[in-house]
Amino acid sequence: MTHRRWYTPWLLVGPAVLWLAVFNLWPTANTVVLSLTDARPLGGGHFTGLANFRRALTDEQLVDALVNSIVYLVVCLPLLTLLPLLLALLVERKLPGITAFRTAFYTPVIASAVVVALIWGWVLDDRGLVNGLAQELGAITRPVPFLTDRWLLLLSAIGLTVWKGLGYYMVIYLSALGNVGRELHEAAAVDGASVLRRFWHVTLPGVRSTMLLVSVLISVSALRVFSELYVLSDGTGGPGGRDMSVVMLIQMYSRGFTGHLGYASALSLLLLAVTVGPMLLLLRFDRRAAR
């Protein structure tokens, strides 16, 4: 007969709990503490209460960064929720050579975000491929400032994010479409339902939970965007820093000569609140749709 010792379960879950405490709970608690101080990289800092949060409410740079992040989210969310689904519907069919198409769409996913952003930077530069071809064809007389105009830079980064994320979310949808009963499509077709009606009444309900998951993943990624804007703007956040996302602003305040760790921590907590908001809305929307 095997004798179970009381500490056996703790030995099994102990490493996971230790990992969670060291790499998740402790940094979170430390961020909360730092947000209430004026800490610098080379100084301990003093308790300042809610001064960092009051400063954030009047920070014009934060407002610009927040607007950029929200625009990023509002544009990326519908594009990266619907386009991969349509793409998955196209490539799920077993046709000759379809594997090559799936591989082509998935290739950007495994490429480094920095490398992809560098390539896009070369393509969209004033002397890059796009402006060069457009000038050769006579479509424009001077280069389009894709990387030096606030909104064009933002749209360029959004295009990069959508292009790179299509394959990733397409694979998620492919696995979800495999669980949608083919007999339901066949029964609907026998009843005379058009392709659009079958998509609306059979496919969409079958992948609704996956769409929710994808939406949450996109929301978190969009609000935490950094590499795309950082590389495309050559690390400056664009002219005057008005193209920075909230994450870029946090990075700027938390390192280098700026080094306002306390203020950067307060911004991190505000970003957390902004990130949780869309997720709660999506969950509420899903619950209503399920009724």
Side-chain angles (χ1 to χ4, degrees):
M1 181 177 175
T2 303
H3 180 66
R4 292 185 176 179
R5 301 181 185 278
W6 66 269
Y7 52 80
T8 301
W10 290 104
L11 287 177
L12 295 175
V13 302
V17 172
L18 185 62
W19 179 276
L20 184 68
V22 172
F23 294 102
N24 291 84
L25 297 181
W26 166 244
T28 303
N30 194 44
T31 300
V32 173
V33 173
L34 284 174
S35 70
L36 303 175
T37 70
D38 59 354
R40 298 291 186 100
L42 299 179
H46 301 89
F47 180 75
T48 58
L50 298 176
N52 288 322
F53 294 96
R54 287 196 293 270
R55 175 185 172 186
L57 294 177
T58 58
D59 189 342
E60 294 182 1
Q61 214 168 15
L62 174 61
V63 173
D64 285 338
L66 191 58
V67 168
N68 292 337
S69 296
I70 291 175
V71 169
Y72 216 93
L73 169 64
V74 169
V75 179
C76 281
L77 185 58
L79 290 178
L80 276 178
T81 302
L82 296 177
L83 290 181
L85 175 58
L86 298 177
L87 199 61
L89 289 171
L90 290 175
V91 302
E92 73 163 341
R93 302 181 182 186
K94 297 180 180 178
L95 300 174
I98 200 66
T99 304
F101 280 99
R102 292 182 182 181
T103 305
F105 286 120
Y106 193 76
T107 300
V109 178
I110 59 177
S112 164
V114 175
V115 172
V116 171
L118 284 172
I119 294 173
W120 272 62
W122 294 331
V123 171
L124 298 176
D125 189 71
D126 286 355
R127 292 174 292 179
L129 181 64
V130 173
N131 277 315
L133 281 176
Q135 284 180 309
E136 286 293 329
L137 296 173
I140 56 176
T141 56
R142 57 182 179 180
V144 179
F146 289 110
L147 306 181
T148 54
D149 177 82
R150 177 185 180 182
W151 298 113
L152 288 179
L153 173 61
L154 202 59
L155 289 176
S156 301
I158 289 171
L160 190 159
T161 300
V162 171
W163 177 72
K164 195 176 186 310
L166 276 178
Y168 178 73
Y169 297 115
M170 177 194 74
V171 171
I172 295 177
Y173 278 126
L174 278 174
S175 62
L177 288 172
N179 295 324
V180 179
R182 191 166 295 278
E183 63 278 3
L184 293 177
H185 281 281
E186 294 172 353
V190 170
D191 288 341
S194 64
V195 174
L196 188 60
R197 288 180 69 86
R198 293 204 301 270
F199 172 77
W200 186 260
H201 292 289
V202 178
T203 303
L204 278 184
V207 299
R208 192 187 65 209
S209 58
T210 304
M211 291 182 75
L212 175 66
L213 171 65
V214 168
S215 300
V216 170
L217 293 176
I218 295 168
S219 300
V220 174
S221 300
L223 291 171
R224 295 178 59 199
V225 63
F226 176 75
S227 301
E228 291 88 341
L229 283 169
Y230 183 83
V231 176
L232 288 179
S233 66
D234 201 18
T236 64
R242 297 201 65 201
D243 306 316
M244 285 191 296
S245 63
V246 175
V247 174
M248 290 184 73
L249 187 63
I250 293 172
Q251 292 282 343
M252 186 191 79
Y253 277 114
S254 63
R255 68 184 183 187
F257 294 105
T258 312
H260 292 84
L261 293 182
Y263 187 53
S265 300
L267 295 181
S268 299
L269 295 177
L270 291 176
L271 176 62
L272 175 65
V274 172
T275 306
V276 169
M279 286 192 290
L280 293 178
L281 285 175
L282 288 170
L283 290 173
R284 186 178 179 85
F285 176 77
D286 183 65
R287 286 177 183 172
R288 284 189 175 182
R291 290 173 185 170

